[in-house]
Amino acid sequence: MLLSLKHNFLFVHIAKTGGTSVRAALSRYRYRGVYGLPMFLADKLDQMTGHRIGAKFPRHAKAIAAKEMLPAELYEGLFKFVFVRNPWDLQVSSFFHIRRERPEVLEGVETFEQFVRLKFDPERPWNYMLDTSRELQRDYVVDLHGNLIVDFIGHYENLQEDFDTVCERIGVPRMALPHKRKAEGRDDFRRYYTDETAEIVGEHYRSDIETFGYRFE
């Protein structure tokens, strides 16, 4: 989550949706304005204490966290935006990311099909190290009653174009997004699925698929 009080925006960062690139582009606006120094000091103190004092929003906090913690008039006045991604494509990205960054988590897992079966096995407790992409993206943008509480939902599939819209809305110059954590050596996501694994992912993310209009085809 990235908050700028001077530029009046709140970015809700869902994992594996291009958010690292968005953060890199907008981080320069984070500590500007009259509250910039207190925010900077709070963030540093939080890091120094191992996040024990809870002085900043976690990187992948949901919008409801900000709505509950910020004054109502402040939250309502912010331009709140998020990026989402096709759930089937997201799982392929997750597989390659974990295999590259934390291969020990996938010990004994050689294929994408094995990864999907492990990640969504109803008989196994959820291993957070298999990353937050098991969570529903919809949960990041709604309140406790299921009401949408963000102002703009961008799509990874149109990342630069939708980011340009964000820049216009928050009043900063358009900029080319840097390529952060870009996966190398992967094919179109559809090629990694069998009918059965596509159904497993589709069932788990049914509410995301319905809310954001995604399809496997």
Side-chain angles (χ1 to χ4, degrees):
M1 187 172 284
L2 188 66
L3 172 66
S4 172
L5 295 178
K6 178 175 175 59
H7 291 274
N8 211 43
F9 71 77
L10 178 72
F11 169 50
V12 179
H13 184 177
I14 301 176
K16 307 293 182 298
T17 62
T20 300
S21 296
V22 173
R23 289 179 67 93
L26 295 180
S27 288
R28 72 191 73 177
Y29 302 109
R30 186 175 194 175
Y31 299 123
R32 295 185 180 183
V34 65
Y35 295 107
L37 181 58
M39 290 175 66
F40 174 80
L41 293 175
D43 282 358
K44 294 305 176 185
L45 285 171
D46 194 69
Q47 293 176 25
M48 290 171 60
T49 62
H51 306 294
R52 289 180 175 84
I53 62 175
K56 71 171 187 176
F57 292 117
R59 184 182 186 88
H60 296 300
K62 298 176 174 63
I64 186 62
K67 183 175 177 62
E68 292 293 322
M69 294 180 67
L70 295 174
E73 64 277 11
L74 173 60
Y75 183 84
E76 293 303 324
L78 294 169
F79 176 66
K80 302 165 288 292
F81 66 98
V82 65
F83 285 87
V84 298
R85 186 173 185 171
N86 184 309
W88 289 282
D89 184 36
L90 192 150
Q91 299 315 306
V92 176
S93 175
S94 172
F95 173 64
F96 278 91
H97 171 79
I98 298 172
R99 194 166 67 172
R100 181 181 68 248
E101 302 288 338
R102 301 191 301 276
E104 69 280 1
V105 178
L106 295 181
E107 185 176 355
V109 176
E110 301 295 334
T111 67
F112 178 69
E113 180 175 356
Q114 291 175 323
F115 171 73
V116 170
R117 293 185 183 282
L118 171 69
K119 189 169 186 176
F120 300 104
D121 184 350
E123 301 301 321
R124 295 174 60 94
W126 177 32
N127 181 357
Y128 188 80
M129 292 301 290
L130 286 178
D131 82 9
T132 59
S133 67
R134 192 178 189 275
E135 296 184 317
L136 299 178
Q137 297 176 77
R138 183 178 182 276
D139 290 346
Y140 281 80
V141 301
V142 298
D143 64 16
L144 299 178
H145 303 288
N147 300 309
L148 187 68
I149 55 173
V150 298
D151 303 304
F152 179 78
I153 297 175
H155 292 262
Y156 177 85
E157 297 76 18
N158 304 306
L159 186 59
Q160 183 64 60
E161 180 181 349
D162 287 348
F163 181 68
D164 289 343
T165 299
V166 168
C167 290
E168 292 176 3
R169 293 287 297 272
I170 66 178
V172 303
R174 288 189 179 187
M175 63 196 88
L177 283 170
H179 293 286
K180 297 290 185 179
R181 298 184 177 180
K182 185 177 181 180
E184 301 291 343
R186 53 159 292 188
D187 209 336
D188 182 278
F189 74 87
R190 299 167 186 83
R191 296 177 63 88
Y192 295 91
Y193 284 92
T194 64
D195 289 344
E196 187 175 356
T197 53
E199 178 62 26
I200 290 171
V201 172
E203 183 61 32
H204 181 84
Y205 295 100
R206 182 174 300 278
S207 65
D208 282 357
I209 293 164
E210 294 173 352
T211 300
F212 305 122
Y214 280 116
R215 299 175 60 188
F216 184 76
E217 294 81 10

